[in-house]
Amino acid sequence: MKINAPLLIAAIVATTTPYTTAAEFTKTSFEIGYMGFSDTTKDDNPGALDQPFMSFNHIAVKAEQSLFQMIKLENPDNIAGDKRMATKALTIFHHDLGNSAFQFWGQNFLVAHKDIVEDNIYLGAKHKAAFGGVKLKYGVGIHYTHSSSDFKNLDYTGFSGGVGNINMSFRDTLLDWPTLFSLDYTTQFARDEEHAAVFNYDEDYGHQIIASMATNLSDDVFIKANLKHYKSWGCTPNDGVEYGFSIGYVF
């Protein structure tokens, strides 16, 4: 499967309206939860493991920019066994380009495991728009990675094709609780052959699709649920489905 990202983005731009400026705020939270994989996913991908997790999250939004940071500990202290603890760190930065609806997009995602390191850096541009109450961001960029695997005794550092992202979100109420619904699609395409070989990825295409729901039970307490589909991505080079649930507290 190949995506013509420039044509897709041009089509979306033609049917959207300007994105309204977000209110300024900062928020820090802590959450604990459980993530699991379908049986077929675990059969096809030895690295897929049902496990608990905890994460620390921080978001800061200003009129012209936003910054999101997460540190996630999966299977802390080998609670689920198998010695497959992992630490993940995600940083996403957006900054408006002048007074336009376009933004600079910078992102870094790091996975550290005793046998695997994968650090993906995205640099590109996004356009923000809206369909009524649905907020939308979409864009493309270049991909730079540092990847290594002791399982295959391979490593790669350098540019590895391109990336694309489409994110949609809207707010509503669920049983009278304020709820944020979101759908996020991220793809890597035209990967470098050496990079793809480190994790048995497809060279042409891989994706992560996340459908999520976050409900505020109070000003301080929230719950989340998500469903993810992977294609040649992360611990699922042979594709698969992950689900997750968590509860969090806002400081």
Side-chain angles (χ1 to χ4, degrees), residues 19 24-25 41 44 49 56 69 90 92-93 104 108 115 123 130 141 149 155 172 178-179 204 206 216 222 240 251:
Y19 188 100
E24 296 190 6
F25 69 91
T41 302
D44 293 342
L49 170 72
F56 299 87
Q69 295 179 298
L90 173 64
I92 304 175
F93 177 72
F104 167 77
N108 184 70
D115 297 307
L123 297 173
S149 171
D155 64 85
D172 205 337
T179 301
D204 291 336
N216 292 330
F222 62 89
F251 296 94

Side-chain angles (χ1 to χ4, degrees), residues 35-45 48-50 227-228 236 239-243:
M35 53 184 285
F37 298 86
S38 68
D39 290 341
T40 300
T41 302
K42 288 183 284 189
D43 290 341
D44 293 342
N45 301 275
L49 170 72
D50 295 351
L227 185 66
K228 304 179 182 181
T236 56
D239 311 341
V241 174
E242 176 192 326
Y243 59 88

Side-chain angles (χ1 to χ4, degrees), residues 74-88:
E74 294 182 350
N75 194 26
D77 200 32
N78 285 317
I79 294 175
D82 291 337
K83 297 183 179 180
R84 292 181 180 174
M85 295 184 294
T87 300
K88 297 180 177 179

Side-chain angles (χ1 to χ4, degrees), residues 34-228:
Y34 187 84
M35 53 184 285
F37 298 86
S38 68
D39 290 341
T40 300
T41 302
K42 288 183 284 189
D43 290 341
D44 293 342
N45 301 275
L49 170 72
D50 295 351
Q51 59 199 281
F53 69 87
M54 62 177 63
S55 70
F56 299 87
N57 317 288
H58 179 77
I59 184 169
V61 176
K62 294 184 178 181
E64 74 284 357
Q65 66 183 25
S66 64
L67 175 68
F68 173 76
Q69 295 179 298
M70 177 200 74
I71 298 176
K72 183 181 182 184
L73 305 179
E74 294 182 350
N75 194 26
D77 200 32
N78 285 317
I79 294 175
D82 291 337
K83 297 183 179 180
R84 292 181 180 174
M85 295 184 294
T87 300
K88 297 180 177 179
L90 173 64
T91 300
I92 304 175
F93 177 72
H94 296 105
H95 194 288
D96 291 352
L97 297 176
N99 294 320
S100 72
F102 288 91
Q103 294 183 308
F104 167 77
W105 168 35
Q107 181 168 325
N108 184 70
F109 181 62
L110 171 66
V111 179
H113 177 279
K114 70 184 185 71
D115 297 307
I116 287 175
V117 173
E118 184 175 12
D119 190 7
N120 295 310
I121 299 171
Y122 303 159
L123 297 173
K126 288 187 180 180
H127 184 267
K128 51 183 181 177
F131 295 95
V134 179
K135 293 186 176 181
L136 179 68
K137 287 187 178 182
Y138 46 91
V140 293
I142 57 174
H143 180 199
Y144 186 89
T145 184
H146 169 68
S147 300
S148 64
S149 171
D150 290 346
F151 293 120
K152 301 191 67 177
N153 196 28
L154 292 174
D155 64 85
Y156 175 80
T157 297
F159 289 98
S160 184
V163 293
N165 175 258
I166 301 174
N167 179 275
M168 295 183 292
S169 64
F170 71 95
R171 297 184 180 275
D172 205 337
T173 57
L174 181 67
L175 301 177
D176 292 328
W177 288 320
T179 301
L180 175 66
F181 300 89
S182 65
L183 181 65
D184 189 271
Y185 165 84
T186 303
T187 176
Q188 297 175 2
F189 53 89
R191 287 165 167 155
D192 184 276
E193 180 180 357
E194 291 184 40
H195 170 219
V198 174
F199 303 120
N200 289 326
Y201 287 160
D202 293 337
E203 295 176 28
D204 291 336
Y205 177 83
H207 75 223
Q208 171 184 260
I209 302 173
I210 307 174
S212 63
M213 178 181 71
T215 299
N216 292 330
L217 302 182
S218 69
D219 290 340
D220 300 325
V221 179
F222 62 89
I223 54 174
K224 284 183 180 179
N226 61 67
L227 185 66
K228 304 179 182 181

